[in-house]
mmCIF file of all heavy atoms in Angstrom:
data_model
loop_
_atom_site.group_PDB
_atom_site.id
_atom_site.type_symbol
_atom_site.label_atom_id
_atom_site.label_comp_id
_atom_site.label_asym_id
_atom_site.label_seq_id
_atom_site.Cartn_x
_atom_site.Cartn_y
_atom_site.Cartn_z
ATOM 1 N N LEU A 6 179.668 70.348 81.110
ATOM 2 C CA LEU A 6 179.604 71.360 80.060
ATOM 3 C C LEU A 6 178.563 72.439 80.367
ATOM 4 O O LEU A 6 178.609 73.519 79.798
ATOM 5 C CB LEU A 6 179.284 70.709 78.714
ATOM 6 C CG LEU A 6 180.328 69.731 78.193
ATOM 7 C CD1 LEU A 6 179.838 69.058 76.918
ATOM 8 C CD2 LEU A 6 181.656 70.431 77.961
ATOM 9 N N LEU A 9 178.426 76.673 85.231
ATOM 10 C CA LEU A 9 178.986 78.019 85.192
ATOM 11 C C LEU A 9 179.845 78.252 86.432
ATOM 12 O O LEU A 9 180.891 78.890 86.357
ATOM 13 C CB LEU A 9 177.868 79.060 85.102
ATOM 14 C CG LEU A 9 177.004 78.981 83.829
ATOM 15 C CD1 LEU A 9 175.842 79.950 83.908
ATOM 16 C CD2 LEU A 9 177.842 79.249 82.591
ATOM 17 N N TYR A 23 183.312 79.254 84.907
ATOM 18 C CA TYR A 23 183.201 78.751 83.541
ATOM 19 C C TYR A 23 182.303 79.685 82.744
ATOM 20 O O TYR A 23 181.249 80.095 83.213
ATOM 21 C CB TYR A 23 182.628 77.335 83.518
ATOM 22 C CG TYR A 23 183.386 76.392 84.417
ATOM 23 C CD1 TYR A 23 182.848 75.966 85.620
ATOM 24 C CD2 TYR A 23 184.659 75.954 84.075
ATOM 25 C CE1 TYR A 23 183.550 75.116 86.460
ATOM 26 C CE2 TYR A 23 185.372 75.096 84.908
ATOM 27 C CZ TYR A 23 184.805 74.686 86.100
ATOM 28 O OH TYR A 23 185.507 73.850 86.920
ATOM 29 N N VAL A 24 182.734 80.005 81.535
ATOM 30 C CA VAL A 24 181.951 80.826 80.621
ATOM 31 C C VAL A 24 181.663 79.946 79.407
ATOM 32 O O VAL A 24 182.583 79.398 78.797
ATOM 33 C CB VAL A 24 182.729 82.097 80.224
ATOM 34 C CG1 VAL A 24 181.963 82.906 79.202
ATOM 35 C CG2 VAL A 24 183.016 82.942 81.459
ATOM 36 N N ARG A 25 180.373 79.759 79.089
ATOM 37 C CA ARG A 25 179.979 78.865 77.995
ATOM 38 C C ARG A 25 180.203 79.503 76.632
ATOM 39 O O ARG A 25 179.886 80.663 76.431
ATOM 40 C CB ARG A 25 178.484 78.513 78.102
ATOM 41 C CG ARG A 25 178.104 77.575 79.202
ATOM 42 C CD ARG A 25 178.232 76.112 78.856
ATOM 43 N NE ARG A 25 177.640 75.685 77.613
ATOM 44 C CZ ARG A 25 176.408 75.225 77.473
ATOM 45 N NH1 ARG A 25 175.604 75.125 78.492
ATOM 46 N NH2 ARG A 25 175.981 74.836 76.293
ATOM 47 N N ASP A 26 180.718 78.748 75.705
ATOM 48 C CA ASP A 26 180.912 79.179 74.323
ATOM 49 C C ASP A 26 179.771 78.585 73.499
ATOM 50 O O ASP A 26 179.672 77.379 73.350
ATOM 51 C CB ASP A 26 182.273 78.679 73.823
ATOM 52 C CG ASP A 26 182.598 79.136 72.416
ATOM 53 O OD1 ASP A 26 181.727 79.726 71.740
ATOM 54 O OD2 ASP A 26 183.741 78.900 71.975
ATOM 55 N N PHE A 27 178.890 79.455 72.982
ATOM 56 C CA PHE A 27 177.733 78.968 72.248
ATOM 57 C C PHE A 27 177.883 79.041 70.732
ATOM 58 O O PHE A 27 176.979 78.672 70.005
ATOM 59 C CB PHE A 27 176.471 79.726 72.678
ATOM 60 C CG PHE A 27 175.894 79.202 73.949
ATOM 61 C CD1 PHE A 27 176.189 79.806 75.161
ATOM 62 C CD2 PHE A 27 175.074 78.091 73.960
ATOM 63 C CE1 PHE A 27 175.667 79.316 76.346
ATOM 64 C CE2 PHE A 27 174.558 77.590 75.137
ATOM 65 C CZ PHE A 27 174.849 78.200 76.329
ATOM 66 N N LEU A 28 179.035 79.506 70.236
ATOM 67 C CA LEU A 28 179.259 79.553 68.796
ATOM 68 C C LEU A 28 180.599 78.926 68.474
ATOM 69 O O LEU A 28 181.579 79.128 69.180
ATOM 70 C CB LEU A 28 179.250 81.006 68.296
ATOM 71 C CG LEU A 28 177.912 81.725 68.380
ATOM 72 C CD1 LEU A 28 178.098 83.203 68.075
ATOM 73 C CD2 LEU A 28 176.910 81.117 67.427
ATOM 74 N N SER A 29 180.639 78.171 67.404
ATOM 75 C CA SER A 29 181.911 77.570 67.018
ATOM 76 C C SER A 29 182.855 78.660 66.533
ATOM 77 O O SER A 29 182.430 79.680 66.000
ATOM 78 C CB SER A 29 181.691 76.525 65.919
ATOM 79 O OG SER A 29 181.215 77.167 64.752
ATOM 80 N N SER A 30 184.141 78.448 66.707
ATOM 81 C CA SER A 30 185.122 79.472 66.358
ATOM 82 C C SER A 30 185.182 79.720 64.856
ATOM 83 O O SER A 30 185.493 80.812 64.414
ATOM 84 C CB SER A 30 186.504 79.084 66.876
ATOM 85 O OG SER A 30 186.893 77.852 66.321
ATOM 86 N N VAL A 48 173.588 84.276 68.908
ATOM 87 C CA VAL A 48 172.673 83.144 68.888
ATOM 88 C C VAL A 48 171.497 83.503 69.796
ATOM 89 O O VAL A 48 171.669 84.201 70.800
ATOM 90 C CB VAL A 48 173.387 81.841 69.360
ATOM 91 C CG1 VAL A 48 173.872 81.961 70.786
ATOM 92 C CG2 VAL A 48 172.504 80.628 69.176
ATOM 93 N N ASP A 82 179.077 88.100 75.883
ATOM 94 C CA ASP A 82 180.076 89.003 75.324
ATOM 95 C C ASP A 82 180.825 88.279 74.211
ATOM 96 O O ASP A 82 180.695 87.058 74.057
ATOM 97 C CB ASP A 82 181.056 89.444 76.417
ATOM 98 C CG ASP A 82 181.749 90.767 76.108
ATOM 99 O OD1 ASP A 82 181.729 91.208 74.941
ATOM 100 O OD2 ASP A 82 182.324 91.358 77.034
ATOM 101 N N THR A 85 185.790 85.986 76.704
ATOM 102 C CA THR A 85 185.532 85.195 77.915
ATOM 103 C C THR A 85 185.620 86.003 79.197
ATOM 104 O O THR A 85 185.156 85.555 80.240
ATOM 105 C CB THR A 85 186.509 84.009 78.016
ATOM 106 O OG1 THR A 85 187.845 84.507 78.019
ATOM 107 C CG2 THR A 85 186.305 83.032 76.869
ATOM 108 N N GLN A 122 175.658 87.048 72.612
ATOM 109 C CA GLN A 122 176.958 86.954 71.967
ATOM 110 C C GLN A 122 177.572 85.596 72.290
ATOM 111 O O GLN A 122 177.011 84.812 73.059
ATOM 112 C CB GLN A 122 177.842 88.102 72.430
ATOM 113 C CG GLN A 122 177.316 89.455 71.949
ATOM 114 C CD GLN A 122 178.179 90.583 72.430
ATOM 115 O OE1 GLN A 122 179.326 90.706 72.004
ATOM 116 N NE2 GLN A 122 177.633 91.397 73.322
ATOM 117 N N ARG A 123 178.737 85.347 71.733
ATOM 118 C CA ARG A 123 179.354 84.024 71.772
ATOM 119 C C ARG A 123 179.511 83.432 73.165
ATOM 120 O O ARG A 123 179.212 82.268 73.405
ATOM 121 C CB ARG A 123 180.718 84.106 71.086
ATOM 122 C CG ARG A 123 181.443 82.799 71.078
ATOM 123 C CD ARG A 123 182.726 82.884 70.302
ATOM 124 N NE ARG A 123 183.367 81.585 70.324
ATOM 125 C CZ ARG A 123 184.381 81.256 69.549
ATOM 126 N NH1 ARG A 123 184.862 82.125 68.702
ATOM 127 N NH2 ARG A 123 184.908 80.059 69.634
ATOM 128 N N TYR A 124 180.016 84.217 74.137
ATOM 129 C CA TYR A 124 180.329 83.688 75.462
ATOM 130 C C TYR A 124 179.264 84.125 76.473
ATOM 131 O O TYR A 124 178.904 85.297 76.544
ATOM 132 C CB TYR A 124 181.707 84.159 75.919
ATOM 133 C CG TYR A 124 182.805 83.711 74.993
ATOM 134 C CD1 TYR A 124 183.356 84.574 74.058
ATOM 135 C CD2 TYR A 124 183.277 82.397 75.037
ATOM 136 C CE1 TYR A 124 184.355 84.157 73.194
ATOM 137 C CE2 TYR A 124 184.278 81.970 74.180
ATOM 138 C CZ TYR A 124 184.809 82.853 73.258
ATOM 139 O OH TYR A 124 185.796 82.427 72.400
ATOM 140 N N VAL A 125 178.782 83.175 77.265
ATOM 141 C CA VAL A 125 177.729 83.440 78.259
ATOM 142 C C VAL A 125 178.218 83.006 79.634
ATOM 143 O O VAL A 125 178.748 81.904 79.798
ATOM 144 C CB VAL A 125 176.427 82.696 77.888
ATOM 145 C CG1 VAL A 125 175.365 82.875 78.955
ATOM 146 C CG2 VAL A 125 175.905 83.163 76.535
ATOM 147 N N GLY A 126 178.034 83.886 80.612
ATOM 148 C CA GLY A 126 178.446 83.580 81.977
ATOM 149 C C GLY A 126 177.667 84.413 82.975
ATOM 150 O O GLY A 126 176.776 85.185 82.612
#
Side-chain angles (χ1 to χ4, degrees):
L6 297 175
L9 297 174
Y23 307 106
V24 176
R25 287 274 311 268
D26 183 352
F27 279 96
L28 293 171
S29 65
S30 59
V48 62
D82 204 344
T85 58
Q122 294 179 68
R123 180 175 181 168
Y124 300 101
V125 176

